[in-house]
Amino acid sequence: APSVTAFTIGIAVSVEAAVTKSFMRYALGLQSRDRLDRIVIDECHLMVTTTSYRDSMNQLGAAIRAVRTQTLWMTATLPPAYEAEFETTGYFDRPNMIRFSTVRSNIVYQLLFCQNSEDKFMSWCVDKYNKKWEKIIGNEKGTGSHSKAIIYCQKKRDVETVARLLECPKFTADSGTTEERDDIIKAWLADESCPVIAATSALGVGFDYPNVRLVMHFGSPRRLTDFAQESGRAGRNGLLSYSVTITQRRPADGFSRDERNVDEHDKKAMALYLSGSHCLKGMLSQYLDKKPMWIWCTEPSTRCSQCKTRQNFGSPRPAWVLFDIANTTAGSINQLSDYVTEDVIQTIGSTQIAAA
């Protein structure tokens, strides 16, 4: 008998289109004919973080629930503090949640404080970039390296300034149509003489070029989840890479135990990171992962800037900073060392799965 080859057809659709009546009729039609195997939603944390300005995200959970099929929701940045709101927004009933360690072990996290005035801040940052990039890429000159760097700014006018100072391309939400923005990225990646691009957060989710060796933030990011997405553009090829944040002021090292709004919680977590009082890798891990997967600087070659001079860099965090909103009520919280031993820390890696 002749062999039969089965084909699977995938349909990519934006959230804005997915919640329309016409697409829902199409999806329900596929379901009724047993032609719909599953629905996959990527970067699903946006269903929590963008609902204030993307109404389609408020509608997505109800729309997907109307189609009776298997669903797979994927993201690299859903902090435990977001889980309750995510399940409510998505109309989930006891979902099976699988977690991997979020923080990439080959990234060195660094925090720099600039005392210069506002008008000199960007030029100071550009100088730091030039020195850092020269150090990273010095040994790769003449080897046809495709290594790249991304500089993130919080304001579009700062992107313009950095692009002018470095004579590099820029990328923002105003950089034209989708096709025109794609062309900017393609041209930049193809140009070996231009390693860096200046961008806002518009260049983040969905950008997966493997050879980004350096991500710098000129100015303070607002949310730790945004920072995790942007800094996570680095190190995808497994090589030693860097995330460098330059800020003009050191936030107060404080955290409200009564905080119940996840957006404000996210901002306060970022402020705690920027305070420079604790292990930077540990801060990210503690906010983005659950307790069994918490890691911090244990390898000398990848120690963050805050752990570089510590003798005992295995325990740099205060015991009470626990980023589970539901458990931030008064009461004693055990020292981290009480439930995570040094042996466990050494074995935690990117392939470990923690049950939700």
Side-chain angles (χ1 to χ4, degrees):
S3 61
V4 177
T5 302
F7 292 95
T8 300
I9 299 175
I11 301 172
V13 59
S14 69
V15 173
E16 284 71 20
V19 298
T20 60
K21 291 181 179 179
S22 58
F23 188 81
M24 288 304 300
R25 284 195 297 268
Y26 173 71
L28 290 168
L30 291 177
Q31 173 206 309
S32 66
R33 301 193 303 273
D34 290 328
R35 299 291 301 276
L36 184 61
D37 185 61
R38 65 176 62 90
I39 298 174
V40 180
I41 302 91
D42 197 15
E43 307 295 356
C44 63
H45 67 280
L46 297 176
M47 198 166 63
V48 176
T49 61
T50 66
T51 52
S52 62
Y53 59 90
R54 289 183 71 180
D55 188 56
S56 57
M57 287 294 179
N58 286 307
Q59 304 172 45
L60 182 62
I64 297 299
R65 291 298 107 199
V67 184
R68 299 182 65 83
T69 189
Q70 182 188 61
T71 60
L72 178 63
W73 303 72
M74 301 188 300
T75 181
T77 46
L78 184 71
Y82 278 27
E83 282 187 7
E85 184 168 340
F86 175 71
E87 292 183 17
T88 300
T89 306
Y91 296 91
F92 295 108
D93 180 21
R94 293 170 295 177
N96 181 24
M97 193 170 293
I98 301 173
R99 282 186 173 271
F100 291 79
S101 178
T102 302
V103 181
R104 197 167 287 121
S105 60
N106 61 311
I107 297 180
V108 177
Y109 295 91
Q110 298 177 334
L111 184 61
L112 302 178
F113 298 98
C114 174
Q115 302 299 326
N116 286 1
S117 59
E118 185 74 30
D119 60 326
K120 296 180 180 179
F121 177 66
M122 285 299 161
S123 58
W124 190 88
C125 290
V126 165
D127 181 63
K128 290 296 181 183
Y129 158 76
N130 285 326
K131 292 177 179 177
K132 188 68 178 179
W133 187 249
E134 182 65 27
K135 185 176 181 180
I136 292 173
I137 213 69
N139 295 330
E140 298 183 16
K141 287 184 176 179
T143 63
S145 170
H146 295 282
S147 296
K148 295 291 184 179
I150 302 173
I151 294 174
Y152 284 106
C153 302
Q154 300 306 302
K155 300 175 182 177
K156 294 174 185 176
R157 69 169 182 264
D158 291 337
V159 171
E160 296 281 350
T161 300
V162 172
R164 175 175 52 80
L165 292 173
L166 287 172
E167 298 181 346
C168 71
K170 59 182 181 293
F171 189 97
T172 71
D174 296 335
S175 294
T177 64
T178 301
E179 292 75 16
E180 289 169 336
R181 292 198 298 270
D182 288 344
D183 288 341
I184 292 173
I185 297 301
K186 290 176 183 177
W188 168 56
L189 294 179
D191 187 356
E192 291 187 16
S193 66
C194 183
V196 65
I197 190 169
T200 61
S201 58
L203 180 63
V205 173
F207 179 71
D208 298 325
Y209 183 70
N211 296 324
V212 175
R213 299 287 304 284
L214 172 65
V215 171
M216 297 190 75
H217 284 82
F218 290 2
S220 304
R222 294 184 65 207
R223 300 176 182 84
L224 199 62
T225 49
D226 294 338
F227 173 76
Q229 280 281 346
E230 293 159 8
S231 63
R233 303 308 105 190
R236 294 182 173 232
N237 58 4
L239 297 178
L240 185 65
S241 302
Y242 296 83
S243 165
V244 181
T245 304
I246 305 177
T247 184
Q248 287 182 282
R249 54 190 176 275
R250 187 188 297 262
D253 184 5
F255 203 93
S256 171
R257 293 184 182 217
D258 297 323
E259 190 58 64
R260 289 296 185 270
N261 180 281
V262 292
D263 183 63
E264 290 302 314
H265 198 262
D266 204 347
K267 292 175 183 177
K268 289 179 182 293
M270 188 73 243
L272 188 59
Y273 180 97
L274 294 171
S275 73
S277 301
H278 317 295
C279 170
L280 304 180
K281 187 176 293 186
M283 271 294 311
L284 277 171
S285 179
Q286 186 171 336
Y287 187 65
L288 295 172
D289 299 328
K290 289 196 172 182
K291 289 180 189 177
M293 309 189 76
W294 285 358
I295 63 172
W296 54 85
C297 291
T298 56
E299 295 296 329
S301 62
T302 58
R303 270 187 278 176
C304 73
S305 57
Q306 311 316 108
C307 289
K308 192 173 182 180
T309 58
R310 281 190 170 95
Q311 295 298 317
N312 178 18
F313 54 85
S315 55
R317 290 174 291 181
W320 61 267
V321 181
L322 184 60
F323 293 103
D324 182 357
I325 290 178
N327 294 324
T328 52
T329 54
S332 62
I333 298 177
N334 293 331
Q335 293 284 341
L336 189 61
S337 57
D338 287 345
Y339 51 82
V340 181
T341 67
E342 187 67 23
D343 290 337
V344 173
I345 295 167
Q346 297 291 348
T347 62
I348 291 177
S350 60
T351 58
Q352 182 174 346
I353 298 176

